[in-house]
Structures are given as C-alpha cells and as structure tokens.
Amino acid sequence: MRFSVGCEIGYDVAESATLIFNIEAMHGGRQRVLSETLTITPKIAADEKTSEESGNRYLRLTAPKGLVQLRYAAEIELDPLHQAPAKLDEVPIATLPLETLPFLNPSRYCPSDQLARFATRQFGSIEPGFGRVVEICNWINAEVDYLSGTSDTTTTAADTFSLRAGVCRDFAHLGITFCRALGIPARFVSCYAWQLEPQDFHAVFEAYLGDRWYLFDPTRMAALDGMVRIGCGRDAADTAFATIYGQVLPQPIKVWSEAIDGDKNEEWTTDAVSVVRE
C-alpha cells in the first residue's frame, strides 16, 4: 500500500542556531521511498548523512536570525511482513545476533534495571514469546493514561511508571524498558502513522522475536501496517525529530500521513508486523 507522508516545521531563530533534523523516511526492506522532496526556506546549505548502523537520515543546518521553515513530503510504499504469533519466539541471549545486544541495556529514558523486579513479578510467569510482549502492551494500555502535557524531555520510563500517565513516547519507553528487563531486545521507533488522530509524529517500539524486529504500539492509536518509519534507536534521545543548539521559538507543526491507494477506510488490526530492512 502507498502513503503520502510529510511535515512542515518552522522556527523563529533569535540568533544563529544549529538545527539537526530526523524527519525523512527511512530507506530499505519492506519500506520503499518512491519519491520525496525537501524544501528549506530561506535557502540554507545543509549537511545530510544516513547512519550505516541505524538507517536514520540526519539533516543539519545553521540558520541565521529570523524565520526558518522546512517542508518534507514523500510517497512511500509499504509491504509489511505478517507472521503468525505462534512462530515468534523469544531468542536466548546466548544466540541473539550481536547487533541486537545493545538493545538489552538500560538507556537514558529506559532504565530497565530500575524496573526489573516489577517486570519479572508482573510478566515473568507468562510464556516467553510474542504473547508476552502483547501482555506488556496490554498492561501499559490499561494502566497508563494517555494525557498530553504530563511529560517532557526529561521524563523516563520510571517516571511514567510512577505517574501512570504520558504520551506515545512514554508508552514506547515503558514497553522497551519492560522488554529489556525480561531479556528481550527492544528499540524505539519514530514514525508517520496512518489513522493517527490528531496527526503528529508518533512513537512505537520494536521487539526482536524469531529472526527479526517487530512493531508494537501500546497506545493502540494507529494501524501498525501504516507506520512509515523515520528513525530508530535506544530511545527518544537517538530519534528526536529536531535537536536544537541555540535560541529558537518553535512554530506550529503540521504532520500528515494519508493512504493513496487501497481501501482508505479500512481499519487494519494486526498482531505482528515487520517493515524493517532484511
């Protein structure tokens, strides 16, 4: 299925500032970028780099004083892989691919060591595999309220666990934290999300099961099949859509994700979806 995705971002720059963006859709595997445009106003020279490790696409520019605006638009084709849940087992740490091992460790927003005792008590008796990750998502969805304004850039999964409230990034961080505490590699994913209302940048997570990464969304706010991946990393610190060095005043953000073929009114409910590079 094909999707039209993109965003418009603006900043009123008080003095010269360096801005680093991660807003462009990732290339590879079951996600194909068919076309894309990036417009910067005023015209400013920018450095672009794709991380060989993560596939994240970074854009860096130095903006002069005044208003700077970016508009990114792309047409994306998704061919998500669906698997029967029974086939998705947890992988013993002794046989995990080495590149997944960093996603077992605590990170800035995912202190899995701090919540390990609760994770073991709450989820440790559940049969390992896909079902256990689903139960983690079920618990988060039931026990944590989705409330805008309840968290900020300093909020960790431990804070969310205590507050029992947050937004999509907090839900994702908590899911990652519980998975890692149980020995399941998990990583943060930023995306454009079809059927998300209201539209915004969305955050989900991936758990490594079987022989690849699979998407999970504890918020249950968007279709897994329609998530266009922007970036992935240990947590939100690796995938922020904008990192600012300097004094700026953010302008309203516009984000969109629309289906441009197939049944646009179809509501997809999927148990396990993978769109990562193979």
Side-chain angles (χ1 to χ4, degrees):
M1 191 167 180
R2 291 181 298 143
F3 296 88
S4 171
V5 303
C7 64
E8 294 178 356
I9 302 173
Y11 295 93
D12 190 356
V13 181
E15 298 293 341
S16 178
T18 298
L19 315 176
I20 301 174
F21 297 98
N22 182 201
I23 59 174
E24 297 170 281
M26 299 176 75
H27 288 274
R30 295 177 175 271
Q31 176 171 302
R32 295 179 57 216
V33 180
L34 302 179
S35 64
E36 61 183 348
T37 59
L38 175 67
T39 305
I40 304 173
T41 306
K43 291 184 178 180
I44 302 171
D47 299 321
E48 295 189 67
K49 175 68 175 180
T50 299
S51 168
E52 294 182 3
E53 180 179 355
S54 66
N56 296 358
R57 301 170 65 191
Y58 297 106
L59 176 75
R60 181 180 62 186
L61 57 88
T62 299
K65 182 178 180 179
L67 186 64
V68 59
Q69 296 176 308
L70 282 81
R71 186 182 192 279
Y72 173 73
E75 183 177 322
I76 309 295
E77 183 177 65
L78 293 182
D79 178 27
L81 172 69
H82 298 255
Q83 284 281 26
K87 295 183 178 181
L88 302 180
D89 295 323
E90 294 176 22
V91 183
I93 294 175
T95 58
L96 278 169
L98 291 176
E99 61 269 21
T100 68
L101 298 184
F103 300 101
L104 287 171
N105 300 328
S107 59
R108 176 179 175 182
Y109 293 113
C110 301
S112 49
D113 50 344
Q114 296 179 25
L115 296 181
R117 187 170 61 178
F118 174 83
T120 300
R121 183 170 66 247
Q122 185 70 31
F123 309 111
S125 62
I126 300 172
E127 183 177 355
F130 170 82
R132 180 148 69 164
V133 182
V134 170
E135 285 303 314
I136 288 172
C137 293
N138 289 343
W139 186 93
I140 296 170
N141 188 268
E143 299 294 332
V144 182
D145 294 329
Y146 192 97
L147 291 175
S148 299
T150 54
S151 63
D152 56 29
T153 57
T154 68
T155 302
T156 69
D159 298 325
T160 302
F161 178 76
S162 177
L163 292 169
R164 298 298 169 95
V167 294
C168 59
R169 61 173 262 158
D170 305 308
F171 279 52
H173 283 154
L174 195 52
I176 292 167
T177 299
F178 287 153
C179 283
R180 291 178 184 173
L182 297 168
I184 306 169
R187 65 188 185 185
F188 188 92
V189 176
S190 61
C191 58
Y192 295 105
W194 180 48
Q195 296 184 337
L196 180 68
E197 293 295 340
Q199 274 290 311
D200 202 345
F201 293 110
H202 195 44
V204 296
F205 75 92
E206 289 176 325
Y208 192 87
L209 300 168
D211 63 351
R212 68 184 67 229
W213 296 96
Y214 287 90
L215 286 166
F216 293 87
D217 182 6
T219 72
R220 308 281 167 74
M221 295 175 66
L224 289 175
D225 308 70
M227 292 187 183
V228 173
R229 298 165 81 250
I230 301 172
C232 68
R234 294 165 298 173
D235 54 36
D238 292 339
T239 61
F241 73 85
T243 304
I244 311 298
Y245 296 92
Q247 295 185 346
V248 304
L249 179 64
Q251 303 299 297
I253 295 175
K254 179 181 178 181
V255 177
W256 63 89
S257 179
E258 302 170 352
I260 54 178
D261 65 3
D263 184 353
K264 299 180 183 180
N265 296 316
E266 180 181 4
E267 292 192 11
W268 294 348
T269 56
T270 54
D271 289 325
V273 171
S274 176
V275 295
V276 300
R277 291 176 294 172
E278 299 184 43

